[in-house]
Each structure stands twice: as structure tokens, then as C-alpha cells.
Amino acid sequence: MVIQVFVSDNIYYHCLLNQYTILMITGQTKLTGLIGDPVEHTLSPYMHNAGFKYCNLDYIYVPFQVKKENLKKAIEGAQSFSFEGLNVTIPHKIDVIKYLDVLNNNAELIGAVNTIKFANEIKGYNTDGLGAVRAIEELKSIKNKKIIILGAGGASRAISFQSILNGASKIIIANRTYDKALKLTENLINKLDADVKAVTLGNELKNELTDGDILINTTPIGMYPNINQKPLVTSSMLHEDMIVNDIIYNPMETVHLKEARKAGAKTISGIKMLIYQGIESFKIWTGMEPPVEVFEKALMDYI
Ligand code: ATR
């Protein structure tokens, strides 16, 4: 018997349009998914289910809303249901660590997990930084580059650690709350002995940008629905040899990317980071790497 599983209204829509996201569940189907709260707007099922289909893998990816107080039970439940793997999103990326057996190097350094693999032991990984770095390295190697990161939250943390691991020569953390930037900076110096500096968003940032190679926005400025919010940097502060990356994917061209385009800099939309962090998770669970275009098309069809 063929069972058609419509993971969400949107995937149903996807099936009608493309006739390829018809998922068949059997006794052998391997389980993956996402835990977070909320999860309604996640785009990950589109990418992963399209990837499984393309690679001919009998896997399924389903998002689960998990309240904070149920996190331990969710991990134990996933293990007892023999899940292959999970993605982890807000607000569980840090708290989940205490329910895992072991962390890989990135997750250990970053102090947060966005991917879990269930095997003999439950292992945590972090692919957020890897996704951003891979998106940038499509255009230019990060090695020996000066990178300026706007924001000092979880995404900034993942990207700054990964940038140093990939050979960045200098990292500037520019944040509205200076103390938070300083705390992250101290952490990066203590753990990786890196050349890192914390700055505020005013003139200090402007000065650092003059010889910056790569600028990455990790703040929510410009994110839907606030698409016309005032950017933290304007085109006159940027230059054409720069690469500017925003981790926001809605809209695809944010206020920061518009300023970068005006300055003649190369721009990278947050959609690339989303795709590459997903591909890294997919590899951890399956050992296979789907073509980037498969993830990209699945997202674009939906968007
Ligand atoms: P995430 O964990 O997803 O990176 P976060 O922890 O909420 O998100 O971090 C968001 C970052 O964007 C923070 O560094 C925040 O600055 P503060 O540390 O001063 O709070 C920054 N941010 C958010 N809104 C901002 C705004 N309107 N202007 C400047 N910075 C902002």
C-alpha cells in the first residue's frame, strides 16, 4: 500500500506543483527532524525531504514543537524511537547539550548544538558556522582575512569560532551592547588564542571597516517584517573589494546587502547559509551529500 504523507500544507502544495515530494513511509524508513519552539515557519523540511528523495534515501524529516520543559523527554523519546538524527533550533541549542553523550569539536568550542546524530552514543554537532563559512568560501577563502561580525548572539558565536578554525587572521565583533561583544571576544581568545577585538557600533566600527575583507550581519536588522529598518552600516562605509553576507534569508536582499551592492561589494544572501548548514546536517545523518541545487530548488519552489 502506498501512503502519501503530507508533512504540511505547503508540502502538499509542493507535491501538486512538482510531483516529486510524495513521501512513502515503510518499516525501514529512517527518522530525522527538527525540535524547537516555534517550528511552524521552518524551511528545513523542504530541503531535507527533497534531498532524501533525490538521493533515493528512505528517510523522512518532520518538525516537532518541543516546549522547554519537555526537552529531556524529547531526546530520550527520539532515542527510543531509533531516530537517525535531529536538528535543534531556538530555544534548545544550548540546553540540549546536557542530554547528549558527546560533542564534536565545533559544538564543544561554540557551546551550542544544532544537529544530533543518534548511534551507540548521542552526539552533538554545530553546522551553523560551517554553513556560513562555506557560503562565503564559494566566493573567497576565509584564510588570512579580516572579518567583521555585526552582533554578539548565538549566530555570531558560531560564525566567529568557525571563521577562526578556517584561518581568519582577525575578527572584529561589533555589537550594540559592548559588554556582550567583549565577553564573546574573551571567549574566542581563551579558547583559540585568536586575534579578536570587540567594538561598539559607531566610529570604531567605521574605522575597522576600511580594511575589512568580509562583513557578516548576524543581527535581526532588516528581517521580515522590518525590511526597511535602518542598517548598521551604509554604502560609504563599505568598499568594492569586500564580501558582505547577511544571515537573514527573508528578504533575500536585506538593507545591509542593498548598501553593500551600492558600494560595489559582493553579496551573499542568508539563504546560502541555510542551505549549507542543512547540507552539513544531511551529511552527518546519511553520509551522503545532495547537490546544492536540490536544496536550493526546494526552497525557491516554496519561497
Ligand atoms: P542569535 O542567537 O540568533 O544570534 P540573539 O542572541 O538575539 O540572536 O542576538 C542578536 C544580536 O543582534 C545581539 O547581539 C543584539 O545586540 P545586543 O547584544 O545589544 O542585544 C543584536 N541586535 C538585535 N537587535 C538590534 C538592533 N536593533 N540594533 C543593533 N543590534 C541589535
mmCIF file of all heavy atoms in Angstrom, residues 104-111 129 133 142 147 149 156-171 173 183-197:
data_model
loop_
_atom_site.group_PDB
_atom_site.id
_atom_site.type_symbol
_atom_site.label_atom_id
_atom_site.label_comp_id
_atom_site.label_asym_id
_atom_site.label_seq_id
_atom_site.Cartn_x
_atom_site.Cartn_y
_atom_site.Cartn_z
ATOM 1 N N ASN A 104 31.056 17.037 19.098
ATOM 2 C CA ASN A 104 32.226 17.142 18.214
ATOM 3 C C ASN A 104 32.948 18.452 18.526
ATOM 4 O O ASN A 104 32.474 19.263 19.336
ATOM 5 C CB ASN A 104 31.828 16.988 16.734
ATOM 6 C CG ASN A 104 31.377 18.281 16.101
ATOM 7 O OD1 ASN A 104 30.886 19.169 16.783
ATOM 8 N ND2 ASN A 104 31.532 18.392 14.800
ATOM 9 N N ASN A 105 34.077 18.650 17.881
ATOM 10 C CA ASN A 105 34.949 19.780 18.199
ATOM 11 C C ASN A 105 34.241 21.135 18.083
ATOM 12 O O ASN A 105 34.282 21.963 19.001
ATOM 13 C CB ASN A 105 36.166 19.710 17.256
ATOM 14 C CG ASN A 105 37.241 20.675 17.678
ATOM 15 O OD1 ASN A 105 37.388 20.957 18.869
ATOM 16 N ND2 ASN A 105 37.974 21.205 16.717
ATOM 17 N N ASN A 106 33.533 21.356 16.962
ATOM 18 C CA ASN A 106 32.844 22.644 16.752
ATOM 19 C C ASN A 106 31.826 22.915 17.844
ATOM 20 O O ASN A 106 31.781 24.006 18.400
ATOM 21 C CB ASN A 106 32.038 22.669 15.449
ATOM 22 C CG ASN A 106 32.823 22.348 14.258
ATOM 23 O OD1 ASN A 106 33.610 21.418 14.297
ATOM 24 N ND2 ASN A 106 32.624 23.091 13.193
ATOM 25 N N ALA A 107 30.990 21.918 18.115
ATOM 26 C CA ALA A 107 29.921 22.105 19.100
ATOM 27 C C ALA A 107 30.525 22.369 20.482
ATOM 28 O O ALA A 107 30.035 23.213 21.230
ATOM 29 C CB ALA A 107 29.022 20.878 19.125
ATOM 30 N N GLU A 108 31.609 21.660 20.781
ATOM 31 C CA GLU A 108 32.301 21.838 22.069
ATOM 32 C C GLU A 108 32.809 23.280 22.191
ATOM 33 O O GLU A 108 32.582 23.950 23.194
ATOM 34 C CB GLU A 108 33.481 20.854 22.117
ATOM 35 C CG GLU A 108 34.286 20.896 23.390
ATOM 36 C CD GLU A 108 33.654 20.048 24.486
ATOM 37 O OE1 GLU A 108 33.440 18.851 24.227
ATOM 38 O OE2 GLU A 108 33.391 20.596 25.556
ATOM 39 N N LEU A 109 33.453 23.756 21.134
ATOM 40 C CA LEU A 109 34.007 25.116 21.159
ATOM 41 C C LEU A 109 32.903 26.170 21.202
ATOM 42 O O LEU A 109 32.957 27.121 21.989
ATOM 43 C CB LEU A 109 34.862 25.366 19.910
ATOM 44 C CG LEU A 109 36.262 24.798 19.910
ATOM 45 C CD1 LEU A 109 36.862 24.913 18.527
ATOM 46 C CD2 LEU A 109 37.130 25.530 20.929
ATOM 47 N N ILE A 110 31.899 26.008 20.362
ATOM 48 C CA ILE A 110 30.834 27.007 20.237
ATOM 49 C C ILE A 110 29.924 26.983 21.468
ATOM 50 O O ILE A 110 29.375 28.001 21.872
ATOM 51 C CB ILE A 110 30.030 26.773 18.924
ATOM 52 C CG1 ILE A 110 30.945 27.010 17.715
ATOM 53 C CG2 ILE A 110 28.805 27.662 18.842
ATOM 54 C CD1 ILE A 110 30.420 26.442 16.405
ATOM 55 N N GLY A 111 29.777 25.794 22.059
ATOM 56 C CA GLY A 111 28.918 25.685 23.235
ATOM 57 C C GLY A 111 27.447 25.626 22.866
ATOM 58 O O GLY A 111 26.589 25.981 23.678
ATOM 59 N N GLY A 129 27.985 27.585 11.874
ATOM 60 C CA GLY A 129 29.181 28.307 11.450
ATOM 61 C C GLY A 129 29.722 27.736 10.147
ATOM 62 O O GLY A 129 30.125 28.475 9.236
ATOM 63 N N VAL A 133 30.416 29.848 6.693
ATOM 64 C CA VAL A 133 31.777 29.887 6.148
ATOM 65 C C VAL A 133 31.813 29.270 4.742
ATOM 66 O O VAL A 133 32.450 29.797 3.833
ATOM 67 C CB VAL A 133 32.757 29.186 7.122
ATOM 68 C CG1 VAL A 133 34.072 28.880 6.449
ATOM 69 C CG2 VAL A 133 32.968 30.065 8.353
ATOM 70 N N ILE A 142 38.483 32.181 3.406
ATOM 71 C CA ILE A 142 38.457 32.997 4.635
ATOM 72 C C ILE A 142 39.861 33.124 5.231
ATOM 73 O O ILE A 142 40.140 34.022 6.031
ATOM 74 C CB ILE A 142 37.452 32.328 5.612
ATOM 75 C CG1 ILE A 142 36.082 32.954 5.391
ATOM 76 C CG2 ILE A 142 37.868 32.415 7.051
ATOM 77 C CD1 ILE A 142 35.012 32.508 6.309
ATOM 78 N N ILE A 147 37.674 39.733 9.315
ATOM 79 C CA ILE A 147 36.220 39.547 9.266
ATOM 80 C C ILE A 147 35.545 40.393 10.340
ATOM 81 O O ILE A 147 35.941 40.344 11.512
ATOM 82 C CB ILE A 147 35.857 38.057 9.446
ATOM 83 C CG1 ILE A 147 36.573 37.246 8.376
ATOM 84 C CG2 ILE A 147 34.351 37.845 9.399
ATOM 85 C CD1 ILE A 147 36.270 35.788 8.378
ATOM 86 N N ILE A 149 32.044 41.108 12.266
ATOM 87 C CA ILE A 149 30.746 40.475 12.514
ATOM 88 C C ILE A 149 29.866 41.428 13.317
ATOM 89 O O ILE A 149 30.278 41.912 14.378
ATOM 90 C CB ILE A 149 30.930 39.128 13.263
ATOM 91 C CG1 ILE A 149 31.852 38.215 12.449
ATOM 92 C CG2 ILE A 149 29.579 38.465 13.523
ATOM 93 C CD1 ILE A 149 32.119 36.859 13.072
ATOM 94 N N SER A 156 26.485 34.802 15.877
ATOM 95 C CA SER A 156 27.803 35.436 15.827
ATOM 96 C C SER A 156 28.848 34.507 16.447
ATOM 97 O O SER A 156 29.958 34.353 15.928
ATOM 98 C CB SER A 156 27.748 36.761 16.601
ATOM 99 O OG SER A 156 29.024 37.287 16.774
ATOM 100 N N ARG A 157 28.475 33.873 17.527
ATOM 101 C CA ARG A 157 29.367 32.961 18.231
ATOM 102 C C ARG A 157 29.783 31.787 17.317
ATOM 103 O O ARG A 157 30.962 31.475 17.166
ATOM 104 C CB ARG A 157 28.615 32.455 19.462
ATOM 105 C CG ARG A 157 29.437 31.763 20.444
ATOM 106 C CD ARG A 157 28.619 31.359 21.665
ATOM 107 N NE ARG A 157 29.404 30.388 22.383
ATOM 108 C CZ ARG A 157 30.404 30.710 23.187
ATOM 109 N NH1 ARG A 157 30.691 31.956 23.409
ATOM 110 N NH2 ARG A 157 31.117 29.770 23.765
ATOM 111 N N ALA A 158 28.783 31.173 16.687
ATOM 112 C CA ALA A 158 29.067 30.019 15.816
ATOM 113 C C ALA A 158 29.949 30.447 14.642
ATOM 114 O O ALA A 158 30.922 29.768 14.286
ATOM 115 C CB ALA A 158 27.755 29.426 15.301
ATOM 116 N N ILE A 159 29.632 31.586 14.040
ATOM 117 C CA ILE A 159 30.356 32.028 12.844
ATOM 118 C C ILE A 159 31.769 32.496 13.204
ATOM 119 O O ILE A 159 32.730 32.218 12.480
ATOM 120 C CB ILE A 159 29.560 33.121 12.098
ATOM 121 C CG1 ILE A 159 28.256 32.518 11.560
ATOM 122 C CG2 ILE A 159 30.377 33.727 10.966
ATOM 123 C CD1 ILE A 159 27.273 33.535 10.999
ATOM 124 N N SER A 160 31.910 33.172 14.347
ATOM 125 C CA SER A 160 33.252 33.651 14.710
ATOM 126 C C SER A 160 34.192 32.482 15.019
ATOM 127 O O SER A 160 35.341 32.470 14.569
ATOM 128 C CB SER A 160 33.193 34.658 15.864
ATOM 129 O OG SER A 160 32.481 34.138 16.940
ATOM 130 N N PHE A 161 33.703 31.499 15.768
ATOM 131 C CA PHE A 161 34.554 30.337 16.056
ATOM 132 C C PHE A 161 34.954 29.626 14.770
ATOM 133 O O PHE A 161 36.115 29.302 14.555
ATOM 134 C CB PHE A 161 33.826 29.359 16.994
ATOM 135 C CG PHE A 161 34.088 29.632 18.457
ATOM 136 C CD1 PHE A 161 33.179 30.324 19.222
ATOM 137 C CD2 PHE A 161 35.268 29.219 19.056
ATOM 138 C CE1 PHE A 161 33.419 30.592 20.569
ATOM 139 C CE2 PHE A 161 35.522 29.479 20.397
ATOM 140 C CZ PHE A 161 34.596 30.169 21.158
ATOM 141 N N GLN A 162 33.962 29.405 13.897
ATOM 142 C CA GLN A 162 34.254 28.666 12.662
ATOM 143 C C GLN A 162 35.207 29.448 11.759
ATOM 144 O O GLN A 162 36.074 28.864 11.113
ATOM 145 C CB GLN A 162 32.947 28.361 11.915
ATOM 146 C CG GLN A 162 33.110 27.307 10.843
ATOM 147 C CD GLN A 162 33.535 25.957 11.412
ATOM 148 O OE1 GLN A 162 32.918 25.465 12.347
ATOM 149 N NE2 GLN A 162 34.594 25.381 10.850
ATOM 150 N N SER A 163 35.070 30.769 11.749
ATOM 151 C CA SER A 163 35.949 31.592 10.903
ATOM 152 C C SER A 163 37.400 31.456 11.364
ATOM 153 O O SER A 163 38.320 31.368 10.541
ATOM 154 C CB SER A 163 35.532 33.070 10.971
ATOM 155 O OG SER A 163 34.230 33.219 10.490
ATOM 156 N N ILE A 164 37.595 31.433 12.680
ATOM 157 C CA ILE A 164 38.964 31.277 13.193
ATOM 158 C C ILE A 164 39.487 29.870 12.861
ATOM 159 O O ILE A 164 40.627 29.710 12.416
ATOM 160 C CB ILE A 164 39.012 31.547 14.711
ATOM 161 C CG1 ILE A 164 38.677 33.014 14.969
ATOM 162 C CG2 ILE A 164 40.387 31.212 15.294
ATOM 163 C CD1 ILE A 164 38.338 33.334 16.392
ATOM 164 N N LEU A 165 38.624 28.870 13.025
ATOM 165 C CA LEU A 165 39.045 27.499 12.682
ATOM 166 C C LEU A 165 39.422 27.406 11.206
ATOM 167 O O LEU A 165 40.291 26.631 10.825
ATOM 168 C CB LEU A 165 37.924 26.493 12.992
ATOM 169 C CG LEU A 165 37.595 26.284 14.475
ATOM 170 C CD1 LEU A 165 36.383 25.361 14.637
ATOM 171 C CD2 LEU A 165 38.786 25.684 15.229
ATOM 172 N N ASN A 166 38.774 28.212 10.363
ATOM 173 C CA ASN A 166 39.085 28.198 8.925
ATOM 174 C C ASN A 166 40.210 29.163 8.548
ATOM 175 O O ASN A 166 40.446 29.408 7.378
ATOM 176 C CB ASN A 166 37.838 28.525 8.105
ATOM 177 C CG ASN A 166 36.953 27.309 7.937
ATOM 178 O OD1 ASN A 166 36.642 26.641 8.907
ATOM 179 N ND2 ASN A 166 36.558 26.999 6.716
ATOM 180 N N GLY A 167 40.864 29.741 9.537
ATOM 181 C CA GLY A 167 42.085 30.503 9.250
ATOM 182 C C GLY A 167 41.959 32.004 9.124
ATOM 183 O O GLY A 167 42.897 32.654 8.648
ATOM 184 N N ALA A 168 40.810 32.587 9.546
ATOM 185 C CA ALA A 168 40.693 34.055 9.504
ATOM 186 C C ALA A 168 41.819 34.656 10.341
ATOM 187 O O ALA A 168 42.180 34.115 11.394
ATOM 188 C CB ALA A 168 39.339 34.493 10.055
ATOM 189 N N SER A 169 42.372 35.790 9.874
ATOM 190 C CA SER A 169 43.511 36.351 10.606
ATOM 191 C C SER A 169 43.066 37.290 11.721
ATOM 192 O O SER A 169 43.755 37.449 12.723
ATOM 193 C CB SER A 169 44.442 37.097 9.650
ATOM 194 O OG SER A 169 43.712 38.090 8.974
ATOM 195 N N LYS A 170 41.909 37.929 11.548
ATOM 196 C CA LYS A 170 41.432 38.862 12.568
ATOM 197 C C LYS A 170 39.905 38.898 12.570
ATOM 198 O O LYS A 170 39.286 38.906 11.498
ATOM 199 C CB LYS A 170 41.979 40.264 12.254
ATOM 200 C CG LYS A 170 41.747 41.254 13.363
ATOM 201 C CD LYS A 170 42.488 42.561 13.103
ATOM 202 C CE LYS A 170 42.212 43.530 14.229
ATOM 203 N NZ LYS A 170 43.250 43.626 15.210
ATOM 204 N N ILE A 171 39.336 38.926 13.763
ATOM 205 C CA ILE A 171 37.876 39.009 13.881
ATOM 206 C C ILE A 171 37.527 40.242 14.703
ATOM 207 O O ILE A 171 38.101 40.465 15.775
ATOM 208 C CB ILE A 171 37.300 37.763 14.613
ATOM 209 C CG1 ILE A 171 37.704 36.454 13.942
ATOM 210 C CG2 ILE A 171 35.778 37.887 14.773
ATOM 211 C CD1 ILE A 171 36.900 36.049 12.749
ATOM 212 N N ILE A 173 34.268 41.906 16.533
ATOM 213 C CA ILE A 173 32.871 41.711 16.954
ATOM 214 C C ILE A 173 32.302 43.090 17.275
ATOM 215 O O ILE A 173 32.738 43.742 18.239
ATOM 216 C CB ILE A 173 32.761 40.811 18.215
ATOM 217 C CG1 ILE A 173 33.524 39.486 18.043
ATOM 218 C CG2 ILE A 173 31.297 40.599 18.601
ATOM 219 C CD1 ILE A 173 32.885 38.483 17.131
ATOM 220 N N LYS A 183 32.594 39.878 26.005
ATOM 221 C CA LYS A 183 32.509 38.529 26.578
ATOM 222 C C LYS A 183 32.812 37.470 25.506
ATOM 223 O O LYS A 183 33.593 36.535 25.727
ATOM 224 C CB LYS A 183 31.104 38.310 27.146
ATOM 225 C CG LYS A 183 31.085 37.388 28.326
ATOM 226 C CD LYS A 183 29.747 37.431 29.020
ATOM 227 C CE LYS A 183 29.554 36.114 29.749
ATOM 228 N NZ LYS A 183 28.179 35.799 30.026
ATOM 229 N N LEU A 184 32.208 37.656 24.320
ATOM 230 C CA LEU A 184 32.461 36.705 23.223
ATOM 231 C C LEU A 184 33.930 36.777 22.806
ATOM 232 O O LEU A 184 34.584 35.750 22.578
ATOM 233 C CB LEU A 184 31.525 37.014 22.039
ATOM 234 C CG LEU A 184 31.752 36.219 20.762
ATOM 235 C CD1 LEU A 184 31.720 34.714 21.017
ATOM 236 C CD2 LEU A 184 30.702 36.581 19.699
ATOM 237 N N THR A 185 34.455 37.990 22.735
ATOM 238 C CA THR A 185 35.846 38.189 22.339
ATOM 239 C C THR A 185 36.791 37.458 23.308
ATOM 240 O O THR A 185 37.704 36.740 22.877
ATOM 241 C CB THR A 185 36.148 39.709 22.363
ATOM 242 O OG1 THR A 185 35.282 40.320 21.432
ATOM 243 C CG2 THR A 185 37.562 40.008 21.986
ATOM 244 N N GLU A 186 36.539 37.609 24.600
ATOM 245 C CA GLU A 186 37.391 36.952 25.613
ATOM 246 C C GLU A 186 37.328 35.439 25.465
ATOM 247 O O GLU A 186 38.326 34.737 25.578
ATOM 248 C CB GLU A 186 36.947 37.378 27.015
ATOM 249 C CG GLU A 186 37.397 38.801 27.338
ATOM 250 C CD GLU A 186 36.731 39.384 28.593
ATOM 251 O OE1 GLU A 186 35.898 38.685 29.223
ATOM 252 O OE2 GLU A 186 37.037 40.537 28.914
ATOM 253 N N ASN A 187 36.122 34.963 25.174
ATOM 254 C CA ASN A 187 35.925 33.534 24.991
ATOM 255 C C ASN A 187 36.715 32.998 23.790
ATOM 256 O O ASN A 187 37.349 31.949 23.861
ATOM 257 C CB ASN A 187 34.431 33.339 24.764
ATOM 258 C CG ASN A 187 33.946 32.033 25.290
ATOM 259 O OD1 ASN A 187 33.665 31.164 24.502
ATOM 260 N ND2 ASN A 187 33.911 31.879 26.603
ATOM 261 N N LEU A 188 36.688 33.764 22.696
ATOM 262 C CA LEU A 188 37.416 33.361 21.482
ATOM 263 C C LEU A 188 38.923 33.374 21.747
ATOM 264 O O LEU A 188 39.654 32.482 21.294
ATOM 265 C CB LEU A 188 37.081 34.311 20.326
ATOM 266 C CG LEU A 188 35.684 34.155 19.714
ATOM 267 C CD1 LEU A 188 35.247 35.419 19.006
ATOM 268 C CD2 LEU A 188 35.668 32.980 18.743
ATOM 269 N N ILE A 189 39.381 34.375 22.482
ATOM 270 C CA ILE A 189 40.818 34.472 22.773
ATOM 271 C C ILE A 189 41.237 33.321 23.688
ATOM 272 O O ILE A 189 42.237 32.642 23.438
ATOM 273 C CB ILE A 189 41.158 35.847 23.399
ATOM 274 C CG1 ILE A 189 40.919 36.960 22.365
ATOM 275 C CG2 ILE A 189 42.601 35.883 23.914
ATOM 276 C CD1 ILE A 189 40.951 38.370 22.918
ATOM 277 N N ASN A 190 40.439 33.069 24.726
ATOM 278 C CA ASN A 190 40.785 32.000 25.678
ATOM 279 C C ASN A 190 40.804 30.633 25.021
ATOM 280 O O ASN A 190 41.689 29.826 25.251
ATOM 281 C CB ASN A 190 39.789 31.965 26.849
ATOM 282 C CG ASN A 190 39.974 33.172 27.744
ATOM 283 O OD1 ASN A 190 41.027 33.806 27.718
ATOM 284 N ND2 ASN A 190 38.948 33.509 28.510
ATOM 285 N N LYS A 191 39.807 30.386 24.165
ATOM 286 C CA LYS A 191 39.693 29.034 23.599
ATOM 287 C C LYS A 191 40.577 28.810 22.381
ATOM 288 O O LYS A 191 41.043 27.708 22.140
ATOM 289 C CB LYS A 191 38.239 28.742 23.237
ATOM 290 C CG LYS A 191 37.357 28.513 24.464
ATOM 291 C CD LYS A 191 36.027 27.919 24.056
ATOM 292 C CE LYS A 191 35.203 27.549 25.276
ATOM 293 N NZ LYS A 191 33.846 27.154 24.942
ATOM 294 N N LEU A 192 40.777 29.873 21.563
ATOM 295 C CA LEU A 192 41.506 29.653 20.303
ATOM 296 C C LEU A 192 42.725 30.558 20.142
ATOM 297 O O LEU A 192 43.366 30.535 19.098
ATOM 298 C CB LEU A 192 40.553 29.860 19.112
ATOM 299 C CG LEU A 192 39.440 28.818 18.937
ATOM 300 C CD1 LEU A 192 38.533 29.195 17.788
ATOM 301 C CD2 LEU A 192 40.002 27.426 18.710
ATOM 302 N N ASP A 193 43.008 31.357 21.158
ATOM 303 C CA ASP A 193 44.174 32.238 21.118
ATOM 304 C C ASP A 193 44.167 33.075 19.826
ATOM 305 O O ASP A 193 45.191 33.212 19.158
ATOM 306 C CB ASP A 193 45.456 31.384 21.209
ATOM 307 C CG ASP A 193 46.656 32.277 21.487
ATOM 308 O OD1 ASP A 193 46.461 33.395 21.999
ATOM 309 O OD2 ASP A 193 47.782 31.855 21.155
ATOM 310 N N ALA A 194 42.974 33.591 19.477
ATOM 311 C CA ALA A 194 42.839 34.284 18.186
ATOM 312 C C ALA A 194 42.993 35.788 18.346
ATOM 313 O O ALA A 194 42.926 36.319 19.450
ATOM 314 C CB ALA A 194 41.460 33.974 17.622
ATOM 315 N N ASP A 195 43.198 36.470 17.203
ATOM 316 C CA ASP A 195 43.287 37.925 17.186
ATOM 317 C C ASP A 195 41.858 38.466 17.040
ATOM 318 O O ASP A 195 41.306 38.531 15.938
ATOM 319 C CB ASP A 195 44.165 38.347 15.997
ATOM 320 C CG ASP A 195 44.414 39.846 15.992
ATOM 321 O OD1 ASP A 195 43.846 40.552 16.852
ATOM 322 O OD2 ASP A 195 45.179 40.307 15.118
ATOM 323 N N VAL A 196 41.246 38.837 18.144
ATOM 324 C CA VAL A 196 39.837 39.247 18.150
ATOM 325 C C VAL A 196 39.691 40.536 18.939
ATOM 326 O O VAL A 196 40.371 40.729 19.947
ATOM 327 C CB VAL A 196 38.945 38.170 18.823
ATOM 328 C CG1 VAL A 196 37.469 38.452 18.553
ATOM 329 C CG2 VAL A 196 39.292 36.782 18.362
ATOM 330 N N LYS A 197 38.804 41.407 18.457
ATOM 331 C CA LYS A 197 38.594 42.689 19.142
ATOM 332 C C LYS A 197 37.100 42.998 19.190
ATOM 333 O O LYS A 197 36.376 42.747 18.227
ATOM 334 C CB LYS A 197 39.329 43.770 18.335
ATOM 335 C CG LYS A 197 39.367 45.128 18.984
ATOM 336 C CD LYS A 197 40.210 46.061 18.100
ATOM 337 C CE LYS A 197 39.946 47.503 18.424
ATOM 338 N NZ LYS A 197 40.523 48.393 17.410
#
